[in-house]
Amino acid sequence: MRKTFALFAAAVLLSGAAQAQNRPQITNGDFETWTFDGANLPNYFNSFQTADGSYSSYGYDSSNRQVQRSTDKRPGSTGRYSCSIWSRQVVVKVLGITVAKANAQGNLTTGRVHADGTSATSEKNYNYSDRDGYNTNNGFRNPCAMPFTGKPDSLVVWVKFTPNGTDSSHPYAKVTATIHDDIDYVDGYQNTSPQSHVVATAINMTIAKTNGKWKRLSIPFNYTNNGAQPKYILLSAATNAYPGGGHENDYLYLDDITLVYKQTYQLSIPSQGWATLCLDFNAKAPAGAKVYTVTELVAGYAKLQEIPAGSIIPANTGVLVRSDATSVTFESSIMDPASISGNLLKGRTTAGSCQAGQYYVLSPASTKERAVFGLYQGTSLAANKAYIEVR
């Protein structure tokens, strides 16, 4: 990585332009509200206790729930809870005679569970968006379909998968999401609605054991471009990617499900060739510019560390940008961000007041060879810019 030095002098604030768009999210995707069934089901989600079909109530009384509110949260969470689901063995009897035993995987969905077959792999078992369906309990009307009109770039979900033993044939849990048009869309192992109704899918069928740790998954949406328009989203999670796979008491924890949308930011570059930047999304360092962090101040000089082109700048990170162009476009990315340490630049994504003489900011005295900063005497800071606090 290339290192350079910059001198500090008088200040100026620069401007840029962000691209806005429709960005709906998964309702209660942070799993903070649990009104409908207490600690047994997060609002706007469903599992076996709200299922339909011939076997919808078989063995699923209040003592046999497979969903639970948990205080085991993902790292950095500002919430109180996560959601855990787990598998259990179900014995199906007819006239008192056992006709089937199955490992019923933990199942959580924004739609409704349909249980109408004794075999775990039966085409009669599936999750679906029941557009007119709902259940009411504890004064809360819980829908069995989630209206949705966005076109996200990816699905981010934090998971912790703890299987009870190893199923070498079927070792994985899964999380899937289908954006579809205005039908009761079916998502099953052997029964799925026609692709003509699908807008996009985000699928991860290979969630491996996480060894007791939380893992952030970023799952891209693949769009069909078949003309279907988004009306609903059917999200499902299960303790095994194969129906009946796994073992009893396999646990999958879920937290902070978020939809990430493609975003861009057009950064204006003054004639001196330098600008500062701070964005509220992870952004790819563009090939047409140099991006730096400030790692040290020595006798009024700043030591810069380059973030290589193509690396992902973490959200809310202040950076210094060098380019001969009049503007540089930064695009959001679903890839994991670079690890940034020792950066003295502090960024802000909203405008706000400040105390005069407390910050160094970029100056119009900068030259193409050297970025110049200086003590800022103003009382307000612009959005999407970076500064260094006076120490």
Side-chain angles (χ1 to χ4, degrees), residues 126-139:
Y126 49 80
N127 293 346
Y128 74 108
S129 291
D130 183 1
R131 293 169 296 166
D132 297 325
Y134 64 91
N135 299 91
T136 301
N137 195 33
N138 292 327

Side-chain angles (χ1 to χ4, degrees), residues 63-145:
S63 64
N64 286 315
R65 300 288 196 253
Q66 288 177 257
V67 181
Q68 184 72 38
R69 186 176 66 192
S70 173
T71 56
D72 186 349
K73 305 175 297 181
R74 62 96 170 171
S77 174
T78 58
R80 297 174 295 170
Y81 306 119
S82 68
C83 177
S84 66
I85 60 176
W86 62 92
S87 57
R88 72 183 185 95
Q89 188 177 78
V90 176
V91 179
V92 180
K93 294 183 178 181
V94 176
L95 299 177
I97 300 174
T98 298
V99 297
K101 292 183 179 181
N103 183 51
Q105 60 189 20
N107 187 355
L108 187 73
T109 180
T110 57
R112 190 194 286 275
V113 177
H114 183 76
D116 207 27
T118 57
S119 169
T121 59
S122 171
E123 65 177 10
K124 297 180 180 180
N125 297 327
Y126 49 80
N127 293 346
Y128 74 108
S129 291
D130 183 1
R131 293 169 296 166
D132 297 325
Y134 64 91
N135 299 91
T136 301
N137 195 33
N138 292 327
F140 180 76
R141 175 169 163 159
N142 202 47
C144 295

Side-chain angles (χ1 to χ4, degrees), residues 9-337:
V12 67
L13 298 177
L14 307 174
S15 62
Q19 182 184 59
Q21 53 184 296
N22 182 26
R23 299 173 186 168
Q25 290 291 334
I26 300 295
T27 306
N28 198 31
D30 57 3
F31 300 111
E32 290 301 305
T33 57
W34 297 70
T35 308
F36 175 77
D37 197 17
N40 297 305
L41 193 70
N43 291 356
Y44 300 99
F45 286 83
N46 291 281
S47 190
F48 296 109
Q49 60 261 58
T50 55
D52 63 12
S54 301
Y55 295 97
S56 60
S57 61
Y58 199 94
Y60 295 106
D61 57 31
S62 60
S63 64
N64 286 315
R65 300 288 196 253
Q66 288 177 257
V67 181
Q68 184 72 38
R69 186 176 66 192
S70 173
T71 56
D72 186 349
K73 305 175 297 181
R74 62 96 170 171
S77 174
T78 58
R80 297 174 295 170
Y81 306 119
S82 68
C83 177
S84 66
I85 60 176
W86 62 92
S87 57
R88 72 183 185 95
Q89 188 177 78
V90 176
V91 179
V92 180
K93 294 183 178 181
V94 176
L95 299 177
I97 300 174
T98 298
V99 297
K101 292 183 179 181
N103 183 51
Q105 60 189 20
N107 187 355
L108 187 73
T109 180
T110 57
R112 190 194 286 275
V113 177
H114 183 76
D116 207 27
T118 57
S119 169
T121 59
S122 171
E123 65 177 10
K124 297 180 180 180
N125 297 327
Y126 49 80
N127 293 346
Y128 74 108
S129 291
D130 183 1
R131 293 169 296 166
D132 297 325
Y134 64 91
N135 299 91
T136 301
N137 195 33
N138 292 327
F140 180 76
R141 175 169 163 159
N142 202 47
C144 295
M146 184 169 288
F148 185 81
T149 57
K151 290 188 175 182
D153 187 42
S154 62
L155 171 73
V156 170
V157 55
W158 285 83
V159 301
K160 184 167 75 169
F161 181 40
T162 307
N164 181 27
T166 302
D167 182 340
S168 57
S169 298
H170 307 293
Y172 302 122
K174 72 171 184 177
V175 173
T176 66
T178 300
I179 302 171
H180 61 85
D181 61 9
D182 200 10
I183 65 164
D184 285 356
Y185 184 85
V186 171
D187 181 17
Y189 178 66
Q190 294 193 58
N191 183 6
T192 302
S193 294
Q195 287 294 293
S196 59
H197 295 284
V198 175
V199 177
T201 56
I203 299 173
N204 189 329
M205 306 281 283
T206 57
I207 301 175
K209 180 180 178 181
T210 60
N211 298 314
K213 298 183 180 298
W214 283 93
K215 182 177 182 180
R216 179 184 181 272
L217 301 179
S218 181
I219 312 170
F221 275 97
N222 294 312
Y223 281 81
T224 60
N225 298 316
N226 60 7
Q229 296 301 308
K231 296 296 182 181
Y232 293 87
I233 187 167
L234 178 61
L235 185 145
S236 298
T239 55
N240 203 279
Y242 181 81
H247 300 278
E248 185 177 12
N249 291 324
D250 291 343
Y251 274 79
L252 177 65
Y253 293 79
L254 305 160
D255 202 2
D256 288 342
I257 299 176
T258 307
L259 297 171
V260 177
Y261 292 80
K262 187 174 181 63
Q263 300 179 68
T264 61
Y265 186 91
Q266 194 81 14
L267 177 65
S268 298
I269 306 292
S271 59
Q272 297 90 342
W274 294 90
T276 63
L277 178 65
C278 181
L279 299 173
D280 62 359
F281 56 85
N282 294 343
K284 185 177 181 180
K290 295 288 188 179
V291 180
Y292 303 97
T293 60
V294 175
T295 60
E296 189 177 357
L297 292 177
V298 179
Y301 287 83
K303 189 175 183 180
L304 305 184
Q305 184 72 54
E306 183 177 353
I307 300 175
S311 298
I312 308 306
I313 306 165
N316 302 303
T317 299
V319 294
L320 183 64
V321 180
R322 169 70 179 92
S323 177
D324 289 327
T326 57
S327 66
V328 176
T329 300
F330 287 79
E331 296 184 349
S332 63
S333 174
I334 64 174
M335 304 300 291
D336 290 336

